[in-house]
């Protein structure tokens, strides 16, 4: 990302987007125990769909949704319904900071799946970034996971990985099936699909005891701020500064996720979290091309030849 080419308002919007998406892990951690994973995921999608309803006033948007409803349904399930449920499940036992760090593996999975199944090429830099990032994932899991019945977090981390696999599928599917559809139409439609898909589970698994005020505030924050407002900011930035610079938000989400967990939930920052976060983000930076090693200059090559 080249900050010099961005206006102050764009930088502020990017920071706000990272803060909002990082805060989603805090809010899920605050609400998951009282709502339960499915009810929280459902209320998040339902609340976001309600917030998006005014955007359906556009005839053009409605026409797009009617034409591409099958593809939008798949995107809604892969990019919203399933990840919302999986991350909410993970939030019942996993610190907000760890969940936020795990979210950074999505670009790695997109690159790896594109290489293995879609024939996309990986140069040496991207391949090394992929290996470095996956090493960070192993570090994070090895330092945090436990699959035993006594409060282990292994299944929660597996849920986070599963959510990112859903995002990966959604990214590839969107690129091929809804590329010509307005991104905001896809965002609105996908939240409506997620709300409809999760509604039966929300009703069926509604908690016997009514959640308290903090849990309700967390749910409203998830729906209104971390989903509706965040999507509007995301697509506004995509239009203003382009996808490459906007996707720098992927590096801000873990930072804010860990920060909010530390400030509001007093979650400790462990060596596994810090080390895994640094290694994963380095891998993502190389894989996405944000950081590339400098090629040796002609003088450097000459000096190397003289030394041999």
């Amino acid at each position: 990302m080249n900050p010099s080419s961005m206006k102050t308002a764009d930088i502020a919007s990017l920071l706000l987007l990272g803060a909002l998406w990082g805060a989603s892990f805090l809010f899920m951690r605050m609400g998951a125990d009282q709502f339960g994973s499915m009810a929280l995921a459902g209320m998040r999608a339902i609340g976001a769909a309600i917030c998006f309803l005014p955007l359906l006033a556009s005839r053009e948007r409605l026409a797009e949704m009617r034409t591409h409803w099958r593809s939008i349904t798949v995107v809604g399930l892969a990019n919203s319904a399933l990840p919302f449920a999986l991350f909410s499940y993970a939030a019942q036992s996993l610190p907000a900071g760890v969940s936020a760090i795990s979210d950074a593996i999505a670009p790695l999975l997109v690159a790896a799946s594109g290489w293995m199944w879609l024939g996309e090429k990986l140069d040496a830099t991207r391949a090394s970034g992929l290996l470095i990032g996956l090493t960070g994932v192993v570090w994070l899991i090895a330092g945090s996971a436990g699959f035993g019945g006594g409060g282990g977090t292994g299944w929660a981390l597996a849920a986070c990985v599963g959510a990112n696999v859903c995002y990966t599928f959604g990214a590839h599917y969107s690129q091929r099936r809804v590329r010509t559809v307005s991104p905001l139409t896809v965002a609105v439609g996908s939240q409506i699909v997620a709300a409809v898909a999760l509604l039966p589970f929300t009703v069926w698994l509604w908690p016997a005891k009514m959640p308290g005020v903090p849990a309700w505030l967390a749910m409203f924050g998830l729906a209104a701020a971390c989903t509706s407002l965040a999507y509007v900011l995301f697509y506004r930035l995509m239009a203003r500064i382009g996808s490459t610079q906007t996707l720098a938000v992927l590096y801000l989400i873990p930072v804010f996720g860990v920060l909010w967990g530390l400030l509001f939930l007093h979650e400790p920052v462990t060596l596994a979290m810090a080390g895994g976060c640094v290694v994963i983000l380095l891998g993502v930076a190389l894989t996405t091309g944000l950081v590339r090693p400098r090629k040796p200059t002609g003088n450097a090559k000459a000096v190397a030849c003289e030394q041999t």
Side-chain angles (χ1 to χ4, degrees), residues 29-291:
R29 182 69 169 159
M30 291 173 61
D33 282 339
Q34 294 192 38
F35 275 98
S37 58
M38 294 304 298
L40 180 63
M43 290 299 293
R44 175 182 184 178
I46 293 167
I50 292 173
C51 291
F52 274 137
L53 282 180
L55 298 178
L56 292 178
S58 168
R59 291 184 179 180
E60 180 181 355
R61 195 161 291 122
L62 285 172
E64 281 188 315
M65 290 182 65
R66 283 194 296 267
T67 303
H68 302 279
W69 68 269
R70 291 182 180 85
S71 298
I72 291 175
T73 296
V74 175
V75 174
L77 294 175
N79 276 2
S80 295
L82 289 173
F84 287 179
L86 289 168
F87 274 127
S88 294
Y89 166 78
Q92 291 179 301
S93 57
L94 204 63
V98 175
S99 295
I101 293 170
S102 72
D103 196 45
I105 69 174
L108 301 176
L109 294 177
V110 170
S113 59
W115 170 61
M116 290 188 293
W117 294 308
L118 302 178
E120 296 179 357
K121 294 183 179 181
L122 287 178
D123 57 24
T125 299
R126 294 184 69 199
S128 62
L130 190 60
L131 290 175
I132 291 171
L134 293 177
T135 300
V137 174
V138 173
W139 183 349
L140 179 66
I141 292 176
S144 304
F147 288 88
T153 57
W155 294 115
L157 280 167
C160 290
V161 173
N164 281 286
V165 170
C166 292
Y167 285 145
T168 301
F169 171 80
H172 288 307
Y173 185 89
S174 298
Q175 187 177 11
R176 283 156 180 76
R177 296 297 182 91
V178 294
R179 180 184 295 181
T180 60
V181 183
S182 164
L184 199 54
T185 298
V186 176
V188 175
S190 64
Q191 293 310 309
I192 294 175
V193 167
V196 172
L198 292 172
L199 179 59
F201 299 98
T202 303
V203 175
W204 180 34
L205 298 173
W206 189 259
K209 182 181 178 181
M210 184 62 67
V213 173
W216 277 102
L217 291 176
M219 185 280 295
F220 284 124
L222 268 176
C226 301
T227 307
S228 299
L229 176 59
Y231 269 117
V232 171
L233 276 174
F234 176 73
Y235 290 120
R236 179 175 177 271
L237 281 168
M238 290 278 283
R240 287 179 60 87
I241 64 177
S243 60
T244 300
Q245 292 184 326
T246 301
L247 289 178
V249 72
L250 295 172
Y251 307 93
L252 299 175
I253 295 172
V255 176
F256 278 107
V258 172
L259 178 62
W260 299 148
L262 176 66
L263 291 178
F264 295 102
L265 300 178
H266 308 293
E267 295 178 351
V269 180
T270 65
L271 178 61
M273 289 173 60
C277 183
V278 170
V279 176
I280 290 171
L281 291 182
L282 174 60
V284 171
L286 291 169
T287 303
T288 58
L290 184 66
V291 174

Side-chain angles (χ1 to χ4, degrees), residues 288-308:
T288 58
L290 184 66
V291 174
R292 288 190 173 274
R294 291 184 179 180
K295 295 181 180 180
T297 61
N299 290 336
K301 291 180 179 178
V303 171
C305 291
E306 290 175 2
Q307 290 177 343
T308 57

